[in-house]
Structure formats: C-alpha cells, structure tokens
Amino acid sequence: MKILIIEDDRDTALYLERALSEVGHGADIAGDGETGMMLAESGSYDVLVVDRMLPRRDGLALIAGLRARGDATPVLILSALGQVDDRVTGLRAGGDDYLTKPYAFSELLARIEALMRRSNSKEGETVYRVGDLELDRLSHTARRAGREIGLQPREFRLLEYLMRHAGQVVTRTMLLEHVWDYHFDPQTNVIDVHISRLRGKIEKGFGSPLLHTVRGAGYMLRATGD
Amino acid sequence: MSQLSALMRTTAARLSALYLLLFALCAVLLVFYTTGLSVQFLSVQTQEALSEEIDNLGAIYRQGGMALLVRTIDHRARQPGAYLYLIADPAGQILAGNVESIEPGTLQHVGWINQPIRYRRFMESDNEVHLALARVFELPNGMRLLVGRDLGEPEHFRTVVRRSLVAALGIMSVGGFLIWFFVGRRALQRMDRLSIASQSIMGGDLSGRLPVTGSGDEFDRLADNLNRMLARIQELNEGLRQVSDNIAHDLKTPLTRLRNRAEAALAGTGADGPTHRALEEIIGESDQLIKTFNAILMISRLEAGYSSEALGPTDLAEIVRDVGELYEPLAEEAGVDLQVEIPETAVVKGNRELIGQTISNLVDNALKYGTRRGEPSRVMLCLVEDDGEYRVTIADAGPGIPVDMRERVTERFVRLEESRTRPGSGLGLSLAKAVMKLHSGALRLEDNAPGLRALLVFPKSVGEG
C-alpha cells in the first residue's frame, strides 16, 4: 500500500512518513500543490493525504483537478480549518474524508486504512460474517452461533459499521460520524457506553470476545484466531 | 385586508390623504370666491342695464305722455329679450306687458325690489317660474308700472358652477385616491423589498445587497448608502475571517508538530514509566488546548455569520431524538433518568450539525453538573411547539445557576466557581448562544426549581411550518 502525503510543513510530513512506514505503509512526500499534482497523476498511490492550504496550488483545487480527470484515488483532507462549512466545502471538492489538525496519529491511520480498503469493501454484500457472528443487512437481524441477538436500530447500525470494518481500528469520531452522522468531538465517553452495551449483547453468554478495545485509538471487531 | 391596513399606515398614504383634503378645501374656497364675484358682477350689470331701460322709458313718458309709454311698452313686450314690462291698475290687475303672473304683493311697494322676485312669463308654454330684478313705479293715474330684467343668466351661471364644482371634487377624490393607492403601494413595495433584503443580510448573508432600481430617487440613495456600508462591513468581516483562518493555520501547525513529537516519543518509552505519564499528560493538555482553540474559532466564525447556504430545512425533532438516544446509555450508567419528549416532526431553518452539537453540549453539561451526589436525579430533554416557535428544553435538578450569573455565564471563559475544578473551557454556553443567534433564535437560562433549565428557542420557519 502506498500513500502520497502532500503537506507543506516538512516536519509534519516527515513525521507522518516515518510513522506510516513503522506500521508498514510506504509513503512519498510532496511539499507543494504542483509537485503533489504531478506525483498524484502518476496514479500509483492507494490514498492521498492532502493538506488544505498548500503553496503553489491550493489543496482543494488539486483534488478538484484530479477528480475532473476521472482520478478516483481516495483522498483524505488534512486541514487546520475545522468548521462545519469548511468540512462541507472540502468534501464537495471531492475529498473522501476530512480530518482537522491537530490530530492523533492513530486517528489518521485508522482513517487512511478505512479509505484503502474501501476499494475492496463489503458495500455490496448483504450478509456480514465475523467468526460465528452474522449480520443480515436485508432482514435487519444479527445472530451469533445461530442465536438471534435483539438489537435497537442504532445498535444495528453500529454493529454493521464495525463488521464492515472488521479487522480495522475504528475510532470514536469515526463511529460518531458514520453511525450518528455528526462530526463534532464528543465531550465525554458517550460512544464507549454504546460500545459496552453492544459488547454485552454480542458477547455475554458466548465464548470468545469479538469487540476489542485498542488502547489510545478505538475499537476493533475481530474473531479470535483471525 | 391587512395589506390595505398596511397601506394606510405608510407615510405616502397619509401625506396624499392630507394633500387631497387641503387641495379640495382650497378648491372649494376658490370656486366659491370666484362665483360670488362673478354673480355679483352680473347682478351689477343687470341692474345697470335695467336703470338704463328705466331712464329710457322715463324719457319716452316725458316726451309723449302716458299713451306713448303704454304703446312703447306694448311694443317692447312683444320682442324677445330679458326685460319684463308690466302695467297694472291700482287693484293689481295686470293690464299690459309680457308678465302673466307675479308674486302677490310685489306691486304694492314702489321702488327697487331688493329680493329677486318670482314671476311667470306671458305666452310661455312651460309655465316656468323665473327670477327677476325689478323696479315698481306709480304712474300719475294711480296705475303701477313694473320694469324688470330676468336673472336667468346669473342663476344659470351659478348652477353651472355648482355642478362643475361637484364633478371636479368627485374626480379629484377618485384621482387622489388612485394616486395615493399607486404611489403608496409602490412605496410600500419598495420598503418591503428593502426590509426583506436587509433581513436576509442580517441573517448572516453579508454578500447580499439592497435592491437599487436605478431611478436615483431617495429610496435608491438610501439603498446605495446602506449598500456601501454593507460592503465595508463585509470587507471587515472577510478580514476577520482571513485573520482567524491564518491563526488557525499558523498555530495549528506547531500544535500538530508538538502532538506528533509527543506521540512519537510515547511510542519509544516503556509503558507506565514517569516519562510515559508525562508524555500522556502533554498530549492530554494539548488536546484540551486544541478544543478551547477550536471553540474560540467556531464562535468567531459563527458571530461573523455563516453563509445562508449553511442553513436549510432541518428536522429539530430528529436531532433531539438522536441526541437523546446518543446520551441515554451514558445517563443510565451515571444513574440519571433521562426523559425525552418530542413531537413527530419540527422543521426549522437550521444547520443539523451545529444544532446537534449545541444540544449534546447542553445535555452533557446537565449530566455533568446537574446531578447531586447520592440523589437519584433526572434530566429532561424535550421539544415543544409554542406560540409560533419551537423550544428545546434541557432541564436538570442540580444546583442550577444563580440569577445574577445567568447572563454572565454565556460570556466567553466565564465559569461558575464550583465548576472551575472540573474539566471544561467555559465556552460551551457562549457557543450555544452564538449558534442560536445564527438561527435567529435565543438561548435562555431559567430556574428549574431546583436546577437549571436551558431553553433553545427557534423561530418557526415561514412557509415550512
């Protein structure tokens, strides 16, 4: 997996490159919009991480330019501007995800990985399976080891999102964004309580744990032995 | 009907009504004055003509005596004209002349008759009664002679003037009313357009301008000046936004580096050593700093006004339901009874994201500060429709906010003494206030006896209610 980082702050870019390579992702750096555009056009990247404010070519203009050429490489926008309308203009320009600076690396990594796997996503599948847990998206039912689990509509969406990203780290803000469709920073541990309720439903009375807490990052749904 | 009453209230309508009244009054006075003068002039003329005729007849009498006078009168009476001639015996029996009958008693009085008299002309088919000015003489043989002149001309003139006056006043009233209606309505429409445009501008869309028709009239001049003022405000606002964007960029880049370095260092230390804890604290502090910083930027951005594009039809009921559901497990874990009451739908013009964040901040506050230790507590989250507005209420049973502090706590960085020790930036309520202002609504803090009741008041959007 190869990532292109288009960021004018050299320090941040180098840190990202190093941190990404530590977890096994190769990354290239472009220091301005023009260089970034040139590298991106070569088309050999799985994800682009684009700073919004760039010298020589604005980040949003760069993304709009790529999209106009039919380039569908997933783009994560990094920006110091984090207002509601900033996010809207960013996504409208063709960005796939938007992260406000400063961010935790774990958050950035989780989002990059989610974007990378989007291409081989389970979007089209009607039944998700993780270990002995099964979720039917058409009949809106979930069962584990053949036993049906009663879920509230929101719990169903939460489990659906976790199962779609099974084996990946999912952060609290990602959950709030995709399950509740809100983009603010939750003040307290609201999401954690929802997770522990869901955990109670899908784990209590069954053998092995499925929903794991990833310290300092978020959660991951994974069958033991996967 | 309300449009008509609005029309009546306009300055233009009032002024035209006043002008119409004054003008009509002047016209009436003028017409009365001129007709009075004309009639008087005509009467004087009539009287002079009559005197001349009398002198003439006197001369004839002196020249040819009674016989010639009677012959002359008989001759003249047969000719058409405005003169009246009448000879009667002492008993009042008409002997000669062109008068068939006359007001009784007229002939008793010798000399000028002051009042116009009524008479009926001889040999006339229509039996009409005419008015005339006349003089009566007593002839030496005791007979009476009346010489007069018909007043038909001035009377006719007076009637014509009176009729035309009535017609003119009628036309003037109708014309005045029409002018008033059209001028008033035009003025009203332009004022309406100006106030609609200025409302949308006040709502945050500073790029909007007041309509200018190009006629260069006073409305145009007013709109033009206000537009220039708006351009200036927009310029200042744009500057402010630019500055805050730059600050955001310039401060957040080093903050990102700081956080990155701390994270990198954290990865290299063994778990749970003192360095590890210190680094974790650094990350925690920097996150808090970022939150505060974001909140300040958000408030300034909200106060500078979002583009009107950011606000659209939004279901308030759905937001309240979502937030209630988001916080329900947390409340349950904290032993708080969170009660949610909402109607089916409540559509307002708003931004779902901002409203959602505001309501969840307030619910968060209620759960954090609205509980008393050791007591079962309850937080109410409800949405009601009342009096043309929607009210979202978040009420707790905690210590509340003292009356004298309720206004102050919505200012930036103001916190209650008791909560200083707890995490928080003191910006939550200022943020809520700014969000409500953007939605043309209001944040109200009230006493829940005991506890705090925070009200978010949204105006019901027109046309979607």
Side-chain angles (χ1 to χ4, degrees), chain A residues 9 11 154 181 183 188, chain B residues 257 261 325 352-353 364:
Chain A
D9 183 57
D11 209 62
R154 191 72 66 175
D181 194 23
H183 298 84
T188 27
Chain B
R257 279 187 227 154
R261 289 204 179 135
E325 188 234 38
R352 176 178 173 276
E353 193 74 35
D364 210 84

Side-chain angles (χ1 to χ4, degrees), chain B residues 82-252:
Chain B
Y83 289 104
L84 306 182
Y85 304 97
L86 183 147
I87 296 174
D89 65 8
Q93 192 64 41
I94 296 172
L95 300 176
N98 55 4
V99 176
E100 190 194 313
S101 68
I102 195 159
E103 257 177 65
T106 310
L107 296 171
Q108 253 103 63
H109 179 82
V110 176
W112 283 103
I113 296 163
N114 291 331
Q115 296 276 318
I117 51 158
R118 289 167 193 282
Y119 75 101
R120 189 165 289 163
R121 229 183 160 99
F122 198 56
M123 309 255 291
E124 242 181 19
S125 50
D126 56 358
N127 279 349
E128 223 178 316
V129 175
H130 298 275
L131 285 178
L133 187 70
R135 190 172 172 179
V136 178
F137 297 90
E138 187 172 14
L139 296 175
N141 56 3
M143 305 241 269
R144 300 287 162 111
L145 167 67
L146 180 141
V147 182
R149 196 177 157 91
D150 191 87
L151 284 175
E153 244 174 87
E155 272 309 307
H156 183 65
F157 177 73
R158 207 195 286 264
T159 319
V160 167
V161 167
R162 203 169 293 149
R163 267 193 218 140
S164 55
L165 180 66
V166 170
L169 281 179
I171 292 170
M172 217 159 62
S173 306
V174 172
F177 182 77
L178 287 178
I179 290 170
W180 165 45
F181 187 72
F182 285 111
V183 170
R185 210 172 56 152
R186 210 171 102 80
L188 192 69
Q189 279 170 346
R190 293 197 57 185
M191 282 316 285
D192 274 353
R193 255 177 274 151
L194 285 181
S195 64
I196 288 168
S198 56
Q199 264 166 12
S200 112
I201 293 166
M202 276 190 295
D205 182 18
L206 279 175
S207 61
R209 287 292 176 271
L210 299 173
V212 176
T213 57
S215 61
D217 62 1
E218 61 272 42
F219 282 109
D220 263 15
R221 288 204 301 276
L222 178 69
D224 208 46
N225 280 332
L226 289 174
N227 280 345
R228 257 180 286 163
M229 197 162 85
L230 282 170
R232 182 94 186 101
I233 293 173
Q234 197 186 10
E235 211 176 284
L236 292 172
N237 233 329
E238 207 47 58
L240 185 75
R241 181 179 289 228
Q242 200 61 50
V243 166
S244 68
D245 282 1
N246 287 344
I247 291 176
H249 185 254
D250 292 352
L251 283 181
K252 281 188 170 182

Side-chain angles (χ1 to χ4, degrees), chain A residues 8-9 11-12 15 51 53 79-86 92 100-106 154 176 180-191 193-194 196-197 215, chain B residues 245 248-249 252-253 255-257 259-261 263-264 280 290-291 294 297-298 301 306 309 319 322 325-330 332-333 351-354 356-357 360-361 364 368:
Chain A
D8 61 324
D9 183 57
D11 209 62
T12 305
Y15 164 76
D51 185 35
M53 289 184 186
S79 174
L81 310 177
Q83 305 297 326
V84 174
D85 47 353
D86 296 327
R92 203 176 281 163
T100 308
K101 283 181 178 182
Y103 45 83
F105 178 71
S106 52
R154 191 72 66 175
L176 189 66
W180 279 270
D181 194 23
Y182 280 109
H183 298 84
F184 55 87
D185 189 11
Q187 300 281 320
T188 27
N189 52 339
V190 265
I191 304 295
V193 195
H194 280 274
S196 65
R197 262 200 190 180
R215 193 157 175 262
Chain B
D245 282 1
H249 185 254
K252 281 188 170 182
T253 303
L255 264 174
T256 310
R257 279 187 227 154
R259 209 186 180 288
N260 286 345
R261 289 204 179 135
E263 270 196 332
E280 273 188 341
I290 291 156
K291 271 187 195 167
N294 282 339
L297 285 175
M298 191 167 163
R301 189 63 95 70
Y306 264 53
E309 210 185 308
I319 300 176
D322 281 355
E325 188 234 38
L326 180 65
Y327 276 89
E328 186 266 320
L330 188 72
E332 195 192 281
E333 194 173 73
N351 183 297
R352 176 178 173 276
E353 193 74 35
L354 292 172
Q357 180 167 5
S360 59
N361 278 351
D364 210 84
K368 243 185 245 163

Side-chain angles (χ1 to χ4, degrees), chain A residues 98-196:
Chain A
Y98 196 101
L99 189 58
T100 308
K101 283 181 178 182
Y103 45 83
F105 178 71
S106 52
E107 183 76 46
L108 178 71
L109 183 65
R111 283 166 189 268
I112 287 177
E113 292 190 335
L115 285 179
M116 277 176 162
R117 295 195 199 173
R118 210 183 48 169
S119 38
N120 55 356
S121 87
K122 302 171 178 170
E123 197 65 58
E125 295 173 25
T126 55
V127 180
Y128 292 163
R129 280 192 193 85
V130 175
D132 55 354
L133 179 64
E134 203 176 278
L135 180 131
D136 189 328
R137 297 172 68 203
L138 289 184
S139 62
H140 269 253
T141 49
R143 34 182 95 240
R144 186 168 180 194
R147 247 196 290 160
E148 185 158 342
I149 303 164
L151 294 175
Q152 299 291 323
R154 191 72 66 175
E155 288 170 338
F156 185 86
R157 283 182 66 182
L158 185 57
L159 185 61
E160 187 184 10
Y161 186 78
L162 286 164
M163 288 183 83
R164 188 185 303 157
H165 295 275
Q168 296 171 37
V169 176
V170 173
T171 65
R172 292 170 182 82
T173 45
M174 282 164 82
L175 288 173
L176 189 66
E177 275 179 33
H178 292 101
V179 179
W180 279 270
D181 194 23
Y182 280 109
H183 298 84
F184 55 87
D185 189 11
Q187 300 281 320
T188 27
N189 52 339
V190 265
I191 304 295
D192 298 349
V193 195
H194 280 274
I195 289 286
S196 65

